[in-house]
Amino acid sequence: MSVFLYIETNGIMSLAQKRNPAIESLLSNLPDDVQLILPSICYMEAYLLFNKIKGGEMNSIAI
């Protein structure tokens, strides 16, 4: 039986900014029966947010 783990925008941003070591640890040690799901809309939202933060348009604490 497979288990689906959805990583949404805040999870992606936590990984990108290294804000939550628990997420990194979880993803590094996924059991074989866990399938990671990354919705494309969450990927795009995180990509846009990261670029805004990097460009100084937004404070990383705001998310």
Side-chain angles (χ1 to χ4, degrees), residues 26-63:
L26 173 69
L27 294 178
S28 301
N29 302 302
L30 281 179
D32 292 336
D33 63 339
V34 174
Q35 293 185 21
L36 187 62
I37 307 291
L38 181 64
S40 59
I41 188 70
C42 295
Y43 171 79
M44 287 306 302
E45 184 179 35
Y47 176 78
L48 293 172
L49 281 172
F50 189 76
N51 282 330
K52 283 183 177 183
I53 291 168
K54 192 173 164 184
E57 296 175 44
M58 185 177 215
N59 186 336
S60 64
I61 296 174
I63 39 178

